[in-house]
Every structure is written in structure tokens, then in C-alpha cells.
Amino acid sequence: MSSQDDLFHPVVELPEPVRRARYDRLVGLDDVKDRLRKEAILLATPDRLRVWAARHYPGMEVAALPLFIDRVPLFVFTGDVGSGKTALAESFGGDLADQLNLPVLLYRLKLATRGSGLVGEMTSLIGDAFAHLKAQASAARTGGRTRRVLVFVVDEADALVQSRAAQQMHHEDRAGVDAFLAGVDSLAGAGLPVLVVLCTNRGNALDPAVLRRAAATFTFGRPNDQQRHAILTNALRGLNIRQDTITKLTELTGAAGSRPGFTSSDLTQRLVPAAVIDAFPGHPVRDERLLTLATELTPSPTFIEHD
Ligand SMILES: Nc1ncnc2c1ncn2[C@@H]1O[C@H](COP(=O)(O)OP(=O)(O)OP(=O)(O)O)[C@@H](O)[C@H]1O
Ligand SMILES: [Mg+2]
């Protein structure tokens, strides 16, 4: 079996200040954040659902409770580029750690060995990763108490979980989907404190068997006016930019005709850094230059589904 280092990027223990700040800066994702928080609370402390039922339905047998036991703790993050899928998947564990007052371990699958052409490699990589996680998650619950929660992120999962129906799919990729399905199924009913998050741009191409197992699928999109305003306000803090400039930037970075609006990452990773680089080293960021740069930059193209 592959070692932890072959399977995962270095495991990160949350909470951790850099990721906490990243989580706090994510705008427009409150519904997803709330949902993940509740799901994790129920996974880590399943008794709380029984307490809820006893309080609101005293003396009744609530048929919905056992349904939770067989569910797979799988969440799919899908949607446009630069919309916070990876950033949220890799940081929400810090919030869980705060809520649960427990450490959260972040495991990120290494998909780097993909494409080396060795038949069976993908299958065993995924199989080993789930086996490893199950062992770690079992050890995380001792004496009936949850000591740690695990978050397992499969990022850029496009190729891995593309529909098995896709004509062009190679044998090895189909094996990847099957191994992934077997892995998540092995977590169902195990009552282990592990959440699986799968991120992909290609929501439409996801294998239906993967989608139907997801406890929830969240679609991420480009920020609306209010969200761009909030992202710009955060990103420009401390640069003495005028309020009316931020309002104009919000307009300039919105959709215009057939041109899409800026992605969140267009704002944080291109526009604002470009303005800083432009001013560096000689002078402060000028409002006028910021507006010019916003008109000059083109937003990232929308991800086109190939199905
Ligand atoms: N909702 C958001 N609010 C604030 N900033 C955001 C948001 N989404 C993305 N960003 C910024 O863009 C950066 C890149 O986002 P991220 O890597 O999570 O995108 P992604 O959805 O995974 O994109 P891709 O599909 O290309 O992998 C983040 O680190 C953050 O700075
Ligand atoms: Mg990403």
C-alpha cells in the first residue's frame, strides 16, 4: 500500500491562521459555510440529532434519523473558475475546528501520478487513499468520543469522476470513478468523522453515480455587484482608495453585453495585485490608475462544458 506521502499532500492541522483569514475573506458563500458546519457537527457528534428529535418530537420515533446513518458525507463543489471552490474546501475545516473545539485534519489527494500510464495505478491510489483515511478516522474516534475530524479534499477531480458514459474516456479513468465510488461507499454507515469534498469545473460531466451519492452539490458562480463590492473593499483595505472609486470598480468589473463579469479571483489575484505592482516602488496606488487597469483587464473566460 502507498504511504501517506505518496497519497496526500502534507496533512494540515486546522485551525491555522492563514487558512482562517482566507475563509473569512470568502464572500457570498455563507449558505455553503452554514451547511458544511451543520453537517460536520452531526458527523462529529451524532447524538445532537437525537437530542434535537427528543426536544421537538418528544416520545415519537423519528424515521428520518436512521437515514443519516447510511448517508455518504460527500459534498461536491462545482462551477466557474476562480469562484472559491478550492479556497473554501481547504479552509472550512478551520471553522469546524472552532465550532467543535476539536482539531481538524485536512487531507488533499495527490492526483499527480495520473497519466503516467500505468494500468491500475489510479485505482490503487484511490483505494489506498480511502483505506488510509478510514484507518485515520477510526483512530479519531475513541471511547465513543470524537477526538478529531478529517476533511478529505479531491481537487480538480474532473478527469477522475467524469461520467463513465463519456465516449473518449480511457479504461484507466473509468477505473478511477469506480474506485472513488467504492471508497465513498465504504464510508457510508461507518459513522466515522470524515467529510469528503470533491471540486470540479465540470459539474455536467460528473458521473451520475457520484452526483447521486453527494449529500449536497454546491454550484459556485461569479460574484454579483454586492459581492464584488465586498471583495474589492476587503482587497483594497489600507490603500486609501475612495469609496466612489470602489463603486465605479464594482460597475466596471460587472458583466457587460456578451462579456462576463470578473471572477472573484480576477479581482483578488489580478486586478488588485496589478494595481500594486503598477504603483510599486515609486508611489501609492492611485484611484485613476486602478480604474484604468479595470477597463484594460479582460475577465477570465467562462468555463465551457464539453458535454
Ligand atoms: N467567493 C470569493 N470571495 C472572495 N474571494 C474569492 C472568492 N472566490 C475566490 N476568491 C479568490 O480567488 C482565489 C482563487 O479561488 P479558488 O482557487 O478557490 O478558485 P476555484 O473555484 O478553485 O477555481 P478553479 O476552478 O479555477 O480551480 C482565492 O484564493 C480568493 O483570493
Ligand atoms: Mg480550484
Side-chain angles (χ1 to χ4, degrees), residues 223-276:
N224 63 24
D225 292 357
Q226 197 197 349
Q227 291 161 349
R228 287 197 313 283
H229 193 275
I231 292 170
L232 286 164
T233 302
N234 282 338
L236 294 168
R237 186 170 300 132
L239 294 176
N240 287 332
I241 303 300
R242 293 193 308 271
Q243 267 306 318
D244 67 297
T245 303
I246 296 184
T247 305
K248 277 185 207 142
L249 283 173
T250 304
E251 281 165 31
L252 285 172
T253 53
S258 61
R259 194 205 74 171
F262 281 46
T263 67
S264 300
S265 65
D266 288 337
L267 302 175
T268 61
Q269 300 190 326
R270 295 172 66 196
L271 176 59
V272 174
V276 170

Tab-separated table of all heavy atoms in Angstrom, residues 223-276:
chain	number	residue	atom	x	y	z
A	223	PRO	N	-19.202	36.561	-8.827
A	223	PRO	CA	-19.816	37.414	-7.806
A	223	PRO	C	-20.756	38.453	-8.417
A	223	PRO	O	-20.478	38.981	-9.497
A	223	PRO	CB	-18.601	38.086	-7.152
A	223	PRO	CG	-17.515	38.034	-8.175
A	223	PRO	CD	-17.758	36.799	-8.990
A	224	ASN	N	-21.874	38.722	-7.740
A	224	ASN	CA	-22.779	39.786	-8.173
A	224	ASN	C	-22.231	41.150	-7.727
A	224	ASN	O	-21.148	41.216	-7.121
A	224	ASN	CB	-24.206	39.535	-7.650
A	224	ASN	CG	-24.271	39.545	-6.126
A	224	ASN	OD1	-23.425	40.152	-5.459
A	224	ASN	ND2	-25.268	38.875	-5.566
A	225	ASP	N	-22.962	42.226	-8.010
A	225	ASP	CA	-22.464	43.574	-7.706
A	225	ASP	C	-22.072	43.715	-6.234
A	225	ASP	O	-20.986	44.183	-5.909
A	225	ASP	CB	-23.550	44.624	-8.016
A	225	ASP	CG	-23.829	44.739	-9.505
A	225	ASP	OD1	-23.142	44.049	-10.297
A	225	ASP	OD2	-24.735	45.520	-9.872
A	226	GLN	N	-22.981	43.291	-5.398
A	226	GLN	CA	-22.759	43.458	-3.968
A	226	GLN	C	-21.533	42.650	-3.520
A	226	GLN	O	-20.717	43.123	-2.710
A	226	GLN	CB	-24.019	42.952	-3.267
A	226	GLN	CG	-24.173	43.384	-1.848
A	226	GLN	CD	-25.210	42.490	-1.161
A	226	GLN	OE1	-25.931	41.713	-1.816
A	226	GLN	NE2	-25.284	42.589	0.145
A	227	GLN	N	-21.393	41.458	-4.074
A	227	GLN	CA	-20.259	40.607	-3.695
A	227	GLN	C	-18.943	41.157	-4.225
A	227	GLN	O	-17.924	41.129	-3.537
A	227	GLN	CB	-20.502	39.175	-4.203
A	227	GLN	CG	-21.642	38.489	-3.446
A	227	GLN	CD	-22.216	37.294	-4.177
A	227	GLN	OE1	-21.919	37.062	-5.347
A	227	GLN	NE2	-23.042	36.532	-3.490
A	228	ARG	N	-18.959	41.690	-5.460
A	228	ARG	CA	-17.729	42.302	-5.975
A	228	ARG	C	-17.347	43.502	-5.132
A	228	ARG	O	-16.176	43.737	-4.848
A	228	ARG	CB	-17.889	42.715	-7.447
A	228	ARG	CG	-17.896	41.533	-8.418
A	228	ARG	CD	-17.638	41.991	-9.861
A	228	ARG	NE	-18.446	43.136	-10.224
A	228	ARG	CZ	-19.737	43.084	-10.532
A	228	ARG	NH1	-20.372	41.931	-10.541
A	228	ARG	NH2	-20.403	44.185	-10.845
A	229	HIS	N	-18.357	44.250	-4.721
A	229	HIS	CA	-18.093	45.410	-3.865
A	229	HIS	C	-17.412	44.963	-2.573
A	229	HIS	O	-16.407	45.540	-2.148
A	229	HIS	CB	-19.400	46.159	-3.577
A	229	HIS	CG	-19.190	47.507	-2.966
A	229	HIS	ND1	-19.015	47.689	-1.612
A	229	HIS	CD2	-19.087	48.738	-3.528
A	229	HIS	CE1	-18.832	48.971	-1.370
A	229	HIS	NE2	-18.863	49.636	-2.514
A	230	ALA	N	-17.931	43.894	-1.984
A	230	ALA	CA	-17.354	43.398	-0.727
A	230	ALA	C	-15.934	42.871	-0.936
A	230	ALA	O	-15.031	43.141	-0.127
A	230	ALA	CB	-18.244	42.301	-0.151
A	231	ILE	N	-15.723	42.136	-2.028
A	231	ILE	CA	-14.383	41.576	-2.292
A	231	ILE	C	-13.385	42.706	-2.528
A	231	ILE	O	-12.264	42.701	-2.004
A	231	ILE	CB	-14.430	40.617	-3.506
A	231	ILE	CG1	-15.251	39.369	-3.154
A	231	ILE	CG2	-13.031	40.217	-3.958
A	231	ILE	CD1	-15.562	38.456	-4.333
A	232	LEU	N	-13.804	43.712	-3.306
A	232	LEU	CA	-12.907	44.841	-3.597
A	232	LEU	C	-12.612	45.630	-2.323
A	232	LEU	O	-11.469	46.036	-2.082
A	232	LEU	CB	-13.538	45.750	-4.660
A	232	LEU	CG	-13.523	45.176	-6.087
A	232	LEU	CD1	-14.487	45.930	-6.998
A	232	LEU	CD2	-12.097	45.227	-6.662
A	233	THR	N	-13.635	45.848	-1.518
A	233	THR	CA	-13.428	46.589	-0.269
A	233	THR	C	-12.397	45.877	0.601
A	233	THR	O	-11.474	46.503	1.128
A	233	THR	CB	-14.773	46.734	0.492
A	233	THR	OG1	-15.695	47.399	-0.368
A	233	THR	CG2	-14.611	47.517	1.777
A	234	ASN	N	-12.534	44.555	0.721
A	234	ASN	CA	-11.557	43.776	1.507
A	234	ASN	C	-10.164	43.882	0.916
A	234	ASN	O	-9.187	44.105	1.629
A	234	ASN	CB	-11.913	42.282	1.476
A	234	ASN	CG	-13.042	41.947	2.421
A	234	ASN	OD1	-13.300	42.684	3.361
A	234	ASN	ND2	-13.727	40.847	2.157
A	235	ALA	N	-10.091	43.673	-0.405
A	235	ALA	CA	-8.781	43.558	-1.046
A	235	ALA	C	-8.055	44.899	-1.111
A	235	ALA	O	-6.830	44.933	-1.184
A	235	ALA	CB	-8.934	42.960	-2.443
A	236	LEU	N	-8.810	45.991	-1.082
A	236	LEU	CA	-8.180	47.310	-1.217
A	236	LEU	C	-7.989	48.002	0.140
A	236	LEU	O	-7.498	49.132	0.197
A	236	LEU	CB	-9.021	48.208	-2.136
A	236	LEU	CG	-9.079	47.749	-3.604
A	236	LEU	CD1	-10.152	48.508	-4.372
A	236	LEU	CD2	-7.709	47.931	-4.274
A	237	ARG	N	-8.362	47.312	1.194
A	237	ARG	CA	-8.252	47.911	2.528
A	237	ARG	C	-6.817	48.353	2.803
A	237	ARG	O	-5.867	47.665	2.459
A	237	ARG	CB	-8.696	46.909	3.596
A	237	ARG	CG	-8.752	47.505	4.989
A	237	ARG	CD	-9.426	46.566	5.979
A	237	ARG	NE	-10.791	46.276	5.587
A	237	ARG	CZ	-11.314	45.056	5.549
A	237	ARG	NH1	-10.587	44.010	5.857
A	237	ARG	NH2	-12.570	44.878	5.185
A	238	GLY	N	-6.691	49.555	3.353
A	238	GLY	CA	-5.369	50.048	3.723
A	238	GLY	C	-4.647	50.765	2.599
A	238	GLY	O	-3.515	51.217	2.773
A	239	LEU	N	-5.274	50.859	1.429
A	239	LEU	CA	-4.614	51.539	0.306
A	239	LEU	C	-5.188	52.942	0.070
A	239	LEU	O	-4.851	53.581	-0.933
A	239	LEU	CB	-4.756	50.701	-0.983
A	239	LEU	CG	-4.035	49.348	-1.024
A	239	LEU	CD1	-4.354	48.611	-2.331
A	239	LEU	CD2	-2.524	49.515	-0.897
A	240	ASN	N	-6.046	53.401	0.973
A	240	ASN	CA	-6.639	54.745	0.855
A	240	ASN	C	-7.389	54.974	-0.455
A	240	ASN	O	-7.289	56.036	-1.052
A	240	ASN	CB	-5.552	55.833	0.969
A	240	ASN	CG	-5.068	55.964	2.395
A	240	ASN	OD1	-5.818	55.690	3.334
A	240	ASN	ND2	-3.811	56.362	2.557
A	241	ILE	N	-8.110	53.963	-0.892
A	241	ILE	CA	-8.903	54.111	-2.112
A	241	ILE	C	-10.274	54.684	-1.733
A	241	ILE	O	-10.864	54.274	-0.734
A	241	ILE	CB	-9.061	52.752	-2.826
A	241	ILE	CG1	-7.692	52.147	-3.149
A	241	ILE	CG2	-9.927	52.877	-4.079
A	241	ILE	CD1	-6.811	52.991	-4.046
A	242	ARG	N	-10.744	55.641	-2.538
A	242	ARG	CA	-12.013	56.302	-2.206
A	242	ARG	C	-13.206	55.367	-2.408
A	242	ARG	O	-13.190	54.492	-3.285
A	242	ARG	CB	-12.205	57.546	-3.094
A	242	ARG	CG	-11.224	58.681	-2.842
A	242	ARG	CD	-11.712	59.970	-3.537
A	242	ARG	NE	-12.011	59.764	-4.946
A	242	ARG	CZ	-11.112	59.897	-5.938
A	242	ARG	NH1	-9.859	60.233	-5.668
A	242	ARG	NH2	-11.474	59.702	-7.187
A	243	GLN	N	-14.231	55.598	-1.613
A	243	GLN	CA	-15.470	54.818	-1.718
A	243	GLN	C	-16.063	54.865	-3.134
A	243	GLN	O	-16.501	53.856	-3.669
A	243	GLN	CB	-16.519	55.357	-0.732
A	243	GLN	CG	-16.510	54.654	0.615
A	243	GLN	CD	-16.656	53.129	0.482
A	243	GLN	OE1	-17.445	52.620	-0.316
A	243	GLN	NE2	-15.847	52.402	1.246
A	244	ASP	N	-16.077	56.075	-3.707
A	244	ASP	CA	-16.702	56.192	-5.035
A	244	ASP	C	-15.883	55.452	-6.095
A	244	ASP	O	-16.418	54.989	-7.100
A	244	ASP	CB	-16.944	57.659	-5.410
A	244	ASP	CG	-15.646	58.419	-5.631
A	244	ASP	OD1	-14.863	58.545	-4.655
A	244	ASP	OD2	-15.389	58.857	-6.768
A	245	THR	N	-14.587	55.313	-5.859
A	245	THR	CA	-13.755	54.527	-6.784
A	245	THR	C	-14.149	53.050	-6.699
A	245	THR	O	-14.275	52.364	-7.727
A	245	THR	CB	-12.260	54.688	-6.447
A	245	THR	OG1	-11.942	56.072	-6.487
A	245	THR	CG2	-11.380	53.905	-7.404
A	246	ILE	N	-14.372	52.581	-5.489
A	246	ILE	CA	-14.761	51.177	-5.314
A	246	ILE	C	-16.123	50.934	-5.977
A	246	ILE	O	-16.333	49.915	-6.643
A	246	ILE	CB	-14.767	50.787	-3.815
A	246	ILE	CG1	-13.331	50.901	-3.273
A	246	ILE	CG2	-15.314	49.372	-3.622
A	246	ILE	CD1	-13.125	50.459	-1.853
A	247	THR	N	-17.014	51.913	-5.859
A	247	THR	CA	-18.319	51.786	-6.511
A	247	THR	C	-18.154	51.717	-8.035
A	247	THR	O	-18.765	50.882	-8.705
A	247	THR	CB	-19.224	52.975	-6.122
A	247	THR	OG1	-19.292	53.013	-4.697
A	247	THR	CG2	-20.616	52.838	-6.691
A	248	LYS	N	-17.275	52.579	-8.573
A	248	LYS	CA	-17.047	52.557	-10.032
A	248	LYS	C	-16.402	51.242	-10.461
A	248	LYS	O	-16.742	50.673	-11.504
A	248	LYS	CB	-16.130	53.717	-10.442
A	248	LYS	CG	-16.874	55.037	-10.627
A	248	LYS	CD	-15.913	56.100	-11.159
A	248	LYS	CE	-16.391	57.488	-10.738
A	248	LYS	NZ	-15.288	58.390	-10.392
A	249	LEU	N	-15.443	50.772	-9.661
A	249	LEU	CA	-14.786	49.499	-9.980
A	249	LEU	C	-15.796	48.358	-9.998
A	249	LEU	O	-15.716	47.453	-10.835
A	249	LEU	CB	-13.714	49.171	-8.930
A	249	LEU	CG	-12.390	49.909	-9.009
A	249	LEU	CD1	-11.533	49.574	-7.797
A	249	LEU	CD2	-11.649	49.532	-10.295
A	250	THR	N	-16.737	48.414	-9.073
A	250	THR	CA	-17.768	47.382	-8.998
A	250	THR	C	-18.548	47.344	-10.315
A	250	THR	O	-18.816	46.276	-10.864
A	250	THR	CB	-18.715	47.663	-7.814
A	250	THR	OG1	-17.929	47.743	-6.623
A	250	THR	CG2	-19.761	46.585	-7.668
A	251	GLU	N	-18.868	48.541	-10.827
A	251	GLU	CA	-19.593	48.599	-12.111
A	251	GLU	C	-18.725	48.094	-13.255
A	251	GLU	O	-19.151	47.291	-14.086
A	251	GLU	CB	-19.999	50.041	-12.426
A	251	GLU	CG	-21.223	50.515	-11.672
A	251	GLU	CD	-21.366	52.030	-11.742
A	251	GLU	OE1	-20.948	52.621	-12.765
A	251	GLU	OE2	-21.869	52.613	-10.765
A	252	LEU	N	-17.478	48.587	-13.302
A	252	LEU	CA	-16.577	48.241	-14.408
A	252	LEU	C	-16.296	46.742	-14.498
A	252	LEU	O	-16.003	46.231	-15.578
A	252	LEU	CB	-15.236	48.964	-14.236
A	252	LEU	CG	-15.208	50.457	-14.553
A	252	LEU	CD1	-13.857	51.051	-14.136
A	252	LEU	CD2	-15.451	50.670	-16.045
A	253	THR	N	-16.335	46.062	-13.357
A	253	THR	CA	-15.968	44.647	-13.348
A	253	THR	C	-17.189	43.730	-13.491
A	253	THR	O	-17.060	42.508	-13.420
A	253	THR	CB	-15.202	44.281	-12.051
A	253	THR	OG1	-15.979	44.707	-10.921
A	253	THR	CG2	-13.845	44.957	-12.004
A	254	GLY	N	-18.352	44.322	-13.702
A	254	GLY	CA	-19.569	43.520	-13.894
A	254	GLY	C	-19.695	43.041	-15.332
A	254	GLY	O	-18.918	43.426	-16.206
A	255	ALA	N	-20.685	42.201	-15.571
A	255	ALA	CA	-20.933	41.719	-16.926
A	255	ALA	C	-21.340	42.893	-17.806
A	255	ALA	O	-21.999	43.818	-17.353
A	255	ALA	CB	-22.035	40.658	-16.905
A	256	ALA	N	-20.894	42.867	-19.067
A	256	ALA	CA	-21.253	43.934	-19.999
A	256	ALA	C	-21.504	43.308	-21.357
A	256	ALA	O	-20.574	42.815	-21.995
A	256	ALA	CB	-20.121	44.966	-20.082
A	257	GLY	N	-22.760	43.300	-21.780
A	257	GLY	CA	-23.100	42.666	-23.047
A	257	GLY	C	-22.753	41.197	-22.996
A	257	GLY	O	-23.126	40.494	-22.065
A	258	SER	N	-21.968	40.741	-23.985
A	258	SER	CA	-21.637	39.316	-24.017
A	258	SER	C	-20.410	39.009	-23.144
A	258	SER	O	-20.062	37.851	-22.943
A	258	SER	CB	-21.349	38.884	-25.455
A	258	SER	OG	-20.247	39.615	-25.935
A	259	ARG	N	-19.760	40.070	-22.661
A	259	ARG	CA	-18.576	39.842	-21.818
A	259	ARG	C	-19.014	39.485	-20.394
A	259	ARG	O	-19.820	40.189	-19.799
A	259	ARG	CB	-17.734	41.129	-21.782
A	259	ARG	CG	-16.339	40.934	-21.231
A	259	ARG	CD	-15.786	42.219	-20.649
A	259	ARG	NE	-16.428	42.515	-19.361
A	259	ARG	CZ	-16.037	43.461	-18.530
A	259	ARG	NH1	-15.029	44.243	-18.857
A	259	ARG	NH2	-16.649	43.654	-17.380
A	260	PRO	N	-18.494	38.383	-19.844
A	260	PRO	CA	-18.907	38.029	-18.483
A	260	PRO	C	-18.296	38.992	-17.476
A	260	PRO	O	-17.357	39.728	-17.794
A	260	PRO	CB	-18.324	36.623	-18.299
A	260	PRO	CG	-17.152	36.560	-19.221
A	260	PRO	CD	-17.490	37.454	-20.388
A	261	GLY	N	-18.804	38.986	-16.265
A	261	GLY	CA	-18.207	39.783	-15.202
A	261	GLY	C	-16.914	39.148	-14.724
A	261	GLY	O	-16.592	38.018	-15.097
A	262	PHE	N	-16.176	39.892	-13.915
A	262	PHE	CA	-14.932	39.357	-13.360
A	262	PHE	C	-15.239	38.230	-12.377
A	262	PHE	O	-16.243	38.269	-11.679
A	262	PHE	CB	-14.172	40.464	-12.618
A	262	PHE	CG	-13.403	41.393	-13.518
A	262	PHE	CD1	-13.979	41.932	-14.669
A	262	PHE	CD2	-12.091	41.750	-13.209
A	262	PHE	CE1	-13.259	42.795	-15.490
A	262	PHE	CE2	-11.370	42.616	-14.029
A	262	PHE	CZ	-11.950	43.132	-15.168
A	263	THR	N	-14.352	37.240	-12.328
A	263	THR	CA	-14.459	36.223	-11.279
A	263	THR	C	-13.910	36.822	-9.989
A	263	THR	O	-13.202	37.842	-10.017
A	263	THR	CB	-13.621	34.973	-11.614
A	263	THR	OG1	-12.242	35.337	-11.584
A	263	THR	CG2	-13.971	34.406	-12.978
A	264	SER	N	-14.189	36.152	-8.891
A	264	SER	CA	-13.623	36.598	-7.613
A	264	SER	C	-12.105	36.633	-7.704
A	264	SER	O	-11.461	37.570	-7.238
A	264	SER	CB	-14.057	35.656	-6.490
A	264	SER	OG	-15.458	35.644	-6.372
A	265	SER	N	-11.535	35.598	-8.330
A	265	SER	CA	-10.075	35.556	-8.406
A	265	SER	C	-9.525	36.606	-9.371
A	265	SER	O	-8.397	37.067	-9.196
A	265	SER	CB	-9.584	34.159	-8.793
A	265	SER	OG	-10.000	33.835	-10.099
A	266	ASP	N	-10.317	37.024	-10.370
A	266	ASP	CA	-9.858	38.123	-11.232
A	266	ASP	C	-9.631	39.378	-10.390
A	266	ASP	O	-8.713	40.160	-10.648
A	266	ASP	CB	-10.892	38.444	-12.321
A	266	ASP	CG	-10.959	37.369	-13.404
A	266	ASP	OD1	-9.966	36.625	-13.569
A	266	ASP	OD2	-12.000	37.278	-14.079
A	267	LEU	N	-10.474	39.558	-9.381
A	267	LEU	CA	-10.345	40.741	-8.531
A	267	LEU	C	-9.167	40.610	-7.572
A	267	LEU	O	-8.350	41.525	-7.448
A	267	LEU	CB	-11.640	40.965	-7.732
A	267	LEU	CG	-12.923	41.132	-8.562
A	267	LEU	CD1	-14.139	41.221	-7.656
A	267	LEU	CD2	-12.831	42.384	-9.442
A	268	THR	N	-9.066	39.440	-6.912
A	268	THR	CA	-8.048	39.315	-5.847
A	268	THR	C	-6.678	38.918	-6.372
A	268	THR	O	-5.672	39.192	-5.733
A	268	THR	CB	-8.452	38.247	-4.810
A	268	THR	OG1	-8.561	36.980	-5.478
A	268	THR	CG2	-9.766	38.590	-4.138
A	269	GLN	N	-6.646	38.243	-7.506
A	269	GLN	CA	-5.347	37.740	-7.951
A	269	GLN	C	-4.830	38.457	-9.191
A	269	GLN	O	-3.698	38.225	-9.592
A	269	GLN	CB	-5.426	36.223	-8.194
A	269	GLN	CG	-5.811	35.496	-6.904
A	269	GLN	CD	-5.672	33.990	-6.981
A	269	GLN	OE1	-5.897	33.400	-8.033
A	269	GLN	NE2	-5.306	33.368	-5.873
A	270	ARG	N	-5.651	39.303	-9.792
A	270	ARG	CA	-5.171	40.021	-10.969
A	270	ARG	C	-5.312	41.525	-10.804
A	270	ARG	O	-4.325	42.253	-10.814
A	270	ARG	CB	-5.917	39.544	-12.215
A	270	ARG	CG	-5.593	38.085	-12.514
A	270	ARG	CD	-6.454	37.526	-13.608
A	270	ARG	NE	-6.200	38.155	-14.888
A	270	ARG	CZ	-7.009	38.067	-15.933
A	270	ARG	NH1	-8.119	37.389	-15.841
A	270	ARG	NH2	-6.704	38.651	-17.053
A	271	LEU	N	-6.545	42.000	-10.638
A	271	LEU	CA	-6.746	43.451	-10.625
A	271	LEU	C	-5.981	44.145	-9.490
A	271	LEU	O	-5.172	45.040	-9.748
A	271	LEU	CB	-8.247	43.768	-10.531
A	271	LEU	CG	-8.593	45.257	-10.414
A	271	LEU	CD1	-8.073	46.035	-11.615
A	271	LEU	CD2	-10.098	45.455	-10.255
A	272	VAL	N	-6.219	43.715	-8.269
A	272	VAL	CA	-5.596	44.416	-7.137
A	272	VAL	C	-4.070	44.249	-7.146
A	272	VAL	O	-3.341	45.247	-7.034
A	272	VAL	CB	-6.260	44.022	-5.800
A	272	VAL	CG1	-5.523	44.637	-4.621
A	272	VAL	CG2	-7.730	44.444	-5.803
A	273	PRO	N	-3.545	43.013	-7.343
A	273	PRO	CA	-2.086	42.899	-7.448
A	273	PRO	C	-1.512	43.732	-8.607
A	273	PRO	O	-0.442	44.321	-8.479
A	273	PRO	CB	-1.849	41.409	-7.680
A	273	PRO	CG	-3.041	40.746	-7.073
A	273	PRO	CD	-4.185	41.687	-7.311
A	274	ALA	N	-2.239	43.796	-9.729
A	274	ALA	CA	-1.738	44.586	-10.866
A	274	ALA	C	-1.617	46.059	-10.480
A	274	ALA	O	-0.650	46.735	-10.866
A	274	ALA	CB	-2.675	44.430	-12.072
A	275	ALA	N	-2.566	46.538	-9.701
A	275	ALA	CA	-2.526	47.941	-9.288
A	275	ALA	C	-1.354	48.199	-8.347
A	275	ALA	O	-0.698	49.246	-8.417
A	275	ALA	CB	-3.849	48.309	-8.616
A	276	VAL	N	-1.079	47.234	-7.493
A	276	VAL	CA	0.032	47.390	-6.552
A	276	VAL	C	1.364	47.358	-7.310
A	276	VAL	O	2.239	48.212	-7.107
A	276	VAL	CB	-0.018	46.290	-5.461
A	276	VAL	CG1	1.259	46.285	-4.627
A	276	VAL	CG2	-1.245	46.496	-4.574
